[in-house]
Amino acid sequence: MTTGPDSGPAGEAGPRDWGAWPDSEDTRRDRRGRGSSRGTRARGRRAGRAGEGDGLLPDGPAEGSVAARGPDADPQAVARAICLRLLTMAPRTRAQLAEALQRREVPQEAAEAVLERFSEVGLIDDEAFAEAWVSSRHTGRGLARKALASELRHRGVDEDIVKDAVERLDPEREAETARALVTRRLSSTRGLDPAVRTRRLAGMLARKGYGPGLAFRVIREALESEEADNFPSSPSSMDEHDYSED
């Protein structure tokens, strides 16, 4: 029986201040354990905040970071999480995802199983990737077939898929894009020697993957058109009529 809310354990003599009641050895061990757990959690939170900037990478936690610690996870679950994270950020080829899984040291068997499953459900589609890449990069950057094929190969797309994707680019569309690029750059070369202008314009087209035949053809057309606009060859029929005698 207790004498009040702070009188201590029943049947025991001691001070009325319960906070001053002497601890047993078991009680002290229990308190030390709780304090240690709280300290560990606090240190973990502080370490997590300190590593927020560099603890995570686009394809998983960085080696040695707080996020990388913990019990071993199912390899296929890890592979799925990495692939989904990368595909959410931007479209990826199968080769790019395989490389990311290898960097995170996902076992080969688990990686192949996940990549195969993602391909079956359409989350990985190198043909669709290549087609979209050719369309967007030609429209946005003006790249020609040669440059587009090089970019696709660099991303691990199969050669047959690369060839099929770039061949879908209409040759006339490619030529029109080359003309537009030359027209856009032409004004910045005015005042230079014609040979210098031609060399600079050809170099710009070459960097975008255009062959020399097409490049020099559209450059010659642009320079001739510019010269014709600046120096009309003859007066118009209206001018001749205006100056004729009645």
Side-chain angles (χ1 to χ4, degrees):
M1 179 176 180
T2 62
T3 58
D6 61 346
S7 59
E12 296 288 340
R16 294 179 61 81
D17 182 3
W18 179 252
W21 196 271
D23 290 334
S24 67
E25 183 62 28
D26 291 341
T27 302
R28 285 193 294 270
R29 281 197 301 268
D30 182 60
R31 288 184 178 177
R32 283 196 300 269
R34 288 198 300 271
S36 176
S37 298
R38 286 194 297 269
T40 300
R41 287 194 296 271
R43 287 192 298 273
R45 286 193 296 270
R46 288 194 297 271
R49 286 193 295 270
E52 282 176 356
D54 58 0
L56 293 176
L57 296 173
D59 57 352
E63 294 293 341
S65 68
V66 175
R69 300 173 192 160
D72 293 338
D74 173 54
Q76 290 196 21
V78 173
R80 283 193 296 271
I82 292 172
C83 290
L84 288 173
R85 186 182 301 113
L86 289 173
L87 290 170
T88 300
M89 296 169 61
R92 297 292 202 283
T93 65
R94 177 167 178 149
Q96 287 176 311
L97 294 174
E99 182 181 358
L101 296 178
Q102 186 178 18
R103 285 200 307 268
R104 303 313 304 161
E105 298 183 357
V106 175
Q108 182 69 22
E109 184 177 352
E112 285 297 326
V114 170
L115 292 173
E116 189 62 31
R117 179 57 180 164
F118 274 37
S119 297
E120 290 174 359
V121 300
L123 291 175
I124 301 175
D125 188 340
D126 281 4
E127 292 182 3
F129 177 94
E131 184 177 353
W133 187 271
V134 167
S135 177
S136 63
R137 296 287 284 178
H138 179 75
T139 302
R141 298 291 302 278
L143 299 185
R145 299 184 190 191
K146 182 179 178 181
L148 293 167
S150 177
E151 289 188 341
L152 289 173
R153 293 188 191 100
H154 182 68
R155 284 155 181 79
V157 179
D158 183 76
E159 187 62 33
D160 289 339
I161 297 176
V162 171
K163 183 178 180 181
D164 184 60
V166 298
E167 284 183 351
R168 293 184 184 183
L169 181 60
D170 182 56
E172 187 54 37
R173 181 185 175 189
E174 190 176 35
E176 286 299 323
T177 302
R179 292 187 184 99
L181 291 169
V182 170
T183 300
R184 190 183 309 159
R185 185 68 64 89
L186 197 63
S187 61
S188 65
T189 66
R190 286 192 183 121
L192 298 176
D193 182 81
V196 175
R197 300 182 76 185
T198 299
R199 185 169 61 250
R200 290 190 179 182
L201 293 169
M204 178 270 296
L205 290 178
R207 288 190 293 273
K208 291 183 177 292
Y210 293 89
L214 175 60
F216 284 108
R217 175 162 59 87
V218 298
I219 292 169
R220 184 179 65 254
E221 291 172 357
L223 293 176
E224 290 175 352
S225 176
E226 181 187 62
E227 184 178 0
D229 291 339
N230 292 333
F231 303 99
S233 58
S234 62
S236 66
S237 59
M238 180 66 71
D239 293 336
E240 293 175 358
H241 176 75
D242 289 343
Y243 286 98
S244 63
E245 295 182 357
D246 292 343

